[in-house]
Amino acid sequence: MKVIALTGGIGAGKSLVANYLFSLGAEVIDADQLARQAIAQGSDGFDQVVQAFGDEILKDGDIDRKALGAIVFSNPEKRQKLESIIHPIVQQGLADARAELVDDQILIYEIPLLVETKAASKFDAVITVEAPLEVRIERLKNRGLEISEIEKRIASQVTAEERKAAANYVIENDGNEEELLRKVETIWTEINASRNWFAAQSSAV
């Protein structure tokens, strides 16, 4: 079994790559989804976040992620506080997923802040998805983010060069979706080839 981190700059296309990998046979978990579950209404994480940031982050009784994001992406100390609440819960979710893997399954863990959290060494391999900055900005604007918010979020991440330095595989998402799928298929083939090689070596010992 292998656990592979999938990272990349915000707006680069990680989720689309994750969907392609799932269609090719990988198990996929999204760290952002685990983070959303960690602060869902009724959870311990929810209570801790409301206690730390106050009722102003609530909307209709639930945490307004946009309001919370506006606070933490403009204040490193508050962001660190939020991460200290969420990260242990998310890490437990990943540990539970690892424990459920069997035989030769491959788990893709979509994690935007892989390099920032110095977590690359915890995985068997790292894939990063990169795209031109202007393309990323346009995608984020289409998601409804204001340019000021986009700039804060991009500034909160490490550079593309730093992500590439930590990665075993780099996907340049600078073409159409068909071209992206071909790149993902190539990497998937390489991952399976390396897995099969190690399995053969283990059997020969």
Side-chain angles (χ1 to χ4, degrees):
M1 63 187 74
K2 278 181 176 288
V3 182
I4 298 174
L6 173 63
T7 193
I10 183 171
K14 293 183 301 300
S15 295
L16 185 55
V17 169
N19 289 340
Y20 285 156
L21 288 166
F22 178 76
S23 71
L24 291 169
E27 300 292 323
V28 176
I29 293 180
D30 181 0
D32 282 345
Q33 179 61 33
L34 292 179
R36 285 190 286 272
Q37 294 172 357
I39 61 173
Q41 191 173 19
S43 68
D44 289 341
F46 175 93
D47 294 338
Q48 292 179 56
V49 170
V50 173
Q51 184 176 3
F53 294 94
D55 291 343
E56 61 267 26
I57 64 168
L58 294 177
K59 183 177 181 180
D60 298 327
D62 208 346
I63 291 175
D64 184 341
R65 289 173 57 83
K66 188 172 183 178
L68 181 59
I71 293 171
V72 300
F73 282 109
S74 60
N75 188 314
E77 289 185 2
K78 290 184 177 181
R79 181 180 176 189
Q80 189 174 34
K81 177 61 178 177
L82 178 64
E83 290 173 348
S84 72
I85 296 170
I86 292 178
H87 283 180
I89 302 172
V90 170
Q91 289 165 6
Q92 184 58 53
L94 174 59
D96 293 343
R98 283 179 183 267
E100 293 177 1
L101 290 177
V102 295
D103 301 329
D104 59 351
Q105 284 184 308
I106 294 177
L107 173 65
I108 301 295
Y109 186 58
E110 189 178 344
I111 172 171
L113 301 180
L114 175 79
V115 178
E116 291 84 347
T117 55
K118 299 179 173 58
S121 62
K122 298 178 181 179
F123 299 90
D124 296 304
V126 173
I127 302 169
T128 187
V129 184
E130 303 297 336
L133 181 59
E134 63 273 14
V135 173
R136 295 167 57 197
I137 290 173
E138 190 61 30
R139 288 174 182 160
L140 295 170
K141 287 168 65 176
N142 290 337
R143 293 183 196 174
L145 295 179
E146 300 292 336
I147 188 65
S148 59
E149 188 176 359
I150 292 170
E151 290 172 347
K152 287 178 184 177
R153 296 197 178 199
I154 289 176
S156 72
Q157 295 188 314
V158 300
T159 64
E161 288 69 26
E162 289 173 288
R163 286 189 294 269
K164 290 178 182 180
N168 304 91
Y169 305 96
V170 177
I171 297 175
E172 295 289 354
N173 185 13
D174 52 5
N176 58 41
E177 291 189 6
E178 181 66 23
E179 291 170 329
L180 179 62
L181 176 57
R182 298 286 84 80
K183 292 177 181 179
V184 174
E185 288 176 334
T186 297
I187 287 177
W188 181 247
T189 299
E190 292 178 11
I191 289 170
N192 278 279
S194 65
R195 179 185 63 179
N196 295 335
W197 184 88
F198 281 115
Q201 293 299 107
S202 298
S203 299
V205 172

